[in-house]
């Protein structure tokens, strides 16, 4: 990597990490020691916390906290739970029932409803199960989260980046880049099999009991964890897992995996964890295999979780994807091959020629996707020229869509003439092209519907967006 690129990468790393306060050597930002002493310090803090949280539920059901929770649930939107109550109806229902909800929570008579089971396709194949709580339960879980995050986030590892205030995937990528640039070119990639579905409830409640003194709250959380899953009118009981779709699930998952963080810190490893996605950076393949073997034993024996051995492995950094990125040996950052494939798939779905949407609507949809994708992948600092090729491929698909939209041959001819193509060339394109895709590749068409024409239609460029965000 050139000196200028290293300096740019370092500056960006510093900028993204500014919102994580500086820590004294040997401790994290909250004064908890790293390494072997962290466990002892953490237990001491949890014990102190437990003594101070014997009436924590009273804070959770405070009307101001509930108001903030409702506001967050409303802003998140989402569909109804098993009761079928949508947001507008819930908004009208809540004011006359909030007092009763608070009373039930405080006296322990509140009943958590089952969650609605929803299966969504995963990008890599298969499906992911979501559990959608009722809006009432979502509000209560959000209220619990708002108080617990104040207590537990300061206790989390500096190596944990997922679902935490002032932390994000970009910081994890930049830290990973620093590790790799320092010479740790081998990555131990740990994949936890169906993690959110397999969290052990007994172990989780035991950990929560060490830091929460309010037994009413512990009982309520246990009820939330044990609530059934409703599918096709049949309720399935749940004995493990923290269902995705619950406002409380990410925090509880981080509490579970903090044990893994502490173990890795105790061993002195360089690592980054984002939710259940954890990468450890080592100097050699042999060291990586040794780490992998011992960690699988720890995770499955101690944490009671299961490692997906087919997806886990020890790989060179440039053969590994982490949070959609791949990092090269010199620390340079690019989009992973899988991310590019998913991007092309999204473009194909948007540009399907039988969608029947206007060309203007199509451009709007593509622009939304391009802006969102570019914002997330703005850390890319190599192989930017590939996005020029991708832009060209996208424009060709759009030419094809617009030509087909014209309909019959004479309508296509008139459209080509409107672009300034001569009569002879326009007829040649229409009469001697076999299919819309072939027609879109004709030189006259490519020239007339070139970069400038697409700019006039309002289409954004992937290459330009990423380049702009890097400045």
């Amino acid at each position: 990597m050139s000196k200028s690129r290293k300096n740019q990468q370092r500056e960006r790393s510093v900028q993204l990490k500014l919102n994580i306060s500086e820590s004294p050597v040997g401790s994290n930002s909250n004064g908890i020691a790293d390494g072997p002493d962290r466990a002892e310090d953490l237990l001491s803090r949890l014990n102190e916390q437990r003594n101070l949280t014997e009436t924590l539920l009273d804070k959770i059901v405070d009307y101001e906290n509930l108001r903030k929770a409702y506001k967050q649930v409303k802003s998140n939107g989402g569909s109804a739970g098993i009761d079928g109550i949508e947001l507008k109806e819930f908004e009208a229902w809540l004011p006359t029932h909030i007092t009763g909800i608070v009373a039930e929570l405080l006296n322990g008579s509140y009943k958590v409803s089952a969650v609605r089971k929803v299966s969504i396709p995963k990008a890599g194949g298969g499906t992911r199960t979501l559990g959608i709580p009722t809006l009432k339960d979502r509000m209560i879980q959000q209220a619990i989260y708002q108080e617990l995050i104040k207590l537990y986030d300061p206790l989390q590892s500096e190596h944990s980046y997922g679902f935490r205030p002032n932390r994000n995937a970009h910081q994890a990528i930049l830290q990973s880049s620093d590790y790799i640039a320092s010479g740790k070119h081998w990555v131990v990639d740990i994949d936890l099999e169906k993690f959110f579905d397999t969290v052990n409830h007994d172990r989780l409640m035991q950990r929560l009991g060490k830091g929460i003194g309010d037994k009413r709250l512990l009982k309520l959380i246990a009820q939330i964890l044990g609530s059934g899953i409703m599918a096709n009118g049949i309720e399935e009981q749940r004995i493990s897992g923290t269902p995705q779709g619950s406002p409380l699930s990410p925090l509880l998952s981080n509490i579970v995996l903090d044990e893994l963080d502490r173990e890795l810190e105790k061993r002195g490893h360089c690592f980054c964890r984002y939710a259940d996605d954890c990468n450890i950076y080592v100097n050699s393949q042999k060291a990586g295999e040794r780490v992998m073997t011992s960690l699988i034993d720890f995770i499955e024996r101690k944490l009671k979780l299961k490692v997906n051995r087919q997806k886990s492995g020890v790989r060179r950094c440039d053969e590994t994807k982490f949070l959609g990125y791949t990092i090269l040996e010199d620390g340079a950052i690019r989009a992973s091959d899988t991310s590019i494939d998913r991007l092309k798939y999204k473009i194909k779905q948007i540009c399907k020629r039988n969608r029947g949407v206007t060309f203007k609507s199509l451009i709007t949809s593509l622009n939304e996707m391009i802006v969102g994708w570019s914002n997330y992948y703005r850390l890319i600092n190599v192989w930017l020229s590939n996005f020029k090729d991708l832009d060209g491929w996208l424009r060709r698909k759009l030419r094809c869509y617009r030509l087909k939209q014209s309909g019959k041959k004479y309508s296509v001819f008139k459209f080509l003439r409107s672009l300034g193509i001569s009569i002879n060339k326009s007829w040649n394109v229409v009469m001697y092209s076999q299919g819309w895709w072939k027609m879109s590749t004709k030189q006259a068409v490519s020239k007339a519907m070139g970069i400038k024409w697409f700019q006039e239609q309002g289409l954004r460029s992937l290459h330009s967006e990423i380049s702009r965000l890097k400045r």
Side-chain angles (χ1 to χ4, degrees), residues 163-206:
F163 305 119
R164 298 182 60 193
N166 301 318
R167 285 178 167 262
N168 55 51
H170 289 157
Q171 293 165 344
I173 293 300
L174 289 171
Q175 181 60 74
S176 299
S177 174
D178 287 348
Y179 287 144
I180 290 170
S182 72
K184 297 183 182 299
H185 296 159
W186 288 89
V187 183
V188 181
D189 185 4
I190 300 290
D191 185 273
L192 299 177
E193 187 171 318
K194 295 184 177 179
F195 167 70
F196 286 93
D197 297 330
T198 58
V199 170
N200 186 285
H201 287 177
D202 291 337
R203 295 200 82 256
L204 174 55
M205 290 308 302
Q206 184 182 42

Side-chain angles (χ1 to χ4, degrees), residues 1 9 173 175-189 279-285 288 313-337 382-383:
M1 183 188 291
Q9 183 175 318
I173 293 300
Q175 181 60 74
S176 299
S177 174
D178 287 348
Y179 287 144
I180 290 170
S182 72
K184 297 183 182 299
H185 296 159
W186 288 89
V187 183
V188 181
D189 185 4
N279 279 1
I280 302 108
Y281 302 90
V282 296
N283 292 313
S284 67
Q285 183 178 10
V314 180
R315 306 178 182 95
R316 297 282 300 185
C317 58
D318 53 8
E319 297 173 349
T320 305
K321 62 181 178 68
F322 182 46
L323 303 177
Y325 286 91
T326 290
I327 303 173
L328 308 183
E329 287 187 0
D330 58 0
I333 302 169
R334 69 174 181 89
S336 71
D337 294 338
V382 288
W383 300 6

Side-chain angles (χ1 to χ4, degrees), residues 203-366:
R203 295 200 82 256
L204 174 55
M205 290 308 302
Q206 184 182 42
R207 285 187 61 75
L208 290 173
K210 291 178 180 178
I212 298 175
D214 194 326
K215 297 188 183 303
R216 299 169 302 172
L217 177 56
L218 291 171
K219 181 181 176 182
L220 177 60
I221 294 174
Q223 190 183 159
I224 291 170
L225 289 172
S227 59
I229 302 177
M230 184 75 76
N232 300 319
I234 301 174
E235 183 175 343
E236 305 170 9
Q237 292 303 309
R238 187 170 67 239
I239 58 173
S240 63
T242 57
Q244 296 181 71
S246 158
L248 202 51
S249 181
L251 174 59
L252 296 180
S253 301
N254 270 338
I255 291 172
V256 169
L257 290 176
D258 187 61
E259 282 192 87
L260 175 60
D261 296 340
R262 287 192 287 112
E263 180 67 18
L264 291 170
E265 288 174 349
K266 185 173 72 174
R267 299 182 186 188
H269 289 307
C270 295
F271 71 99
C272 291
R273 181 177 66 80
Y274 191 97
D276 59 329
D277 201 347
C278 184
N279 279 1
I280 302 108
Y281 302 90
V282 296
N283 292 313
S284 67
Q285 183 178 10
K286 186 175 181 180
E289 290 171 349
R290 185 170 61 248
V291 170
M292 170 72 80
T293 300
S294 62
L295 277 183
I296 288 177
D297 178 67
F298 174 82
I299 291 169
E300 296 188 337
R301 180 179 53 81
K302 183 79 181 291
L303 302 187
K304 308 300 182 185
L305 298 170
K306 188 170 179 59
V307 175
N308 187 328
R309 286 167 169 77
Q310 288 184 330
K311 294 184 178 180
S312 300
V314 180
R315 306 178 182 95
R316 297 282 300 185
C317 58
D318 53 8
E319 297 173 349
T320 305
K321 62 181 178 68
F322 182 46
L323 303 177
Y325 286 91
T326 290
I327 303 173
L328 308 183
E329 287 187 0
D330 58 0
I333 302 169
R334 69 174 181 89
S336 71
D337 294 338
T338 303
S339 297
I340 297 297
D341 289 342
R342 290 175 183 172
L343 173 63
K344 294 177 75 172
Y345 176 78
K346 288 179 182 177
I347 291 173
K348 287 178 181 178
Q349 293 301 111
I350 294 174
C351 295
K352 276 186 174 179
R353 280 171 270 164
N354 59 357
R355 286 188 67 203
V357 301
T358 65
F359 194 66
K360 184 177 180 180
S361 297
L362 192 70
I363 295 292
T364 299
S365 298
L366 284 169

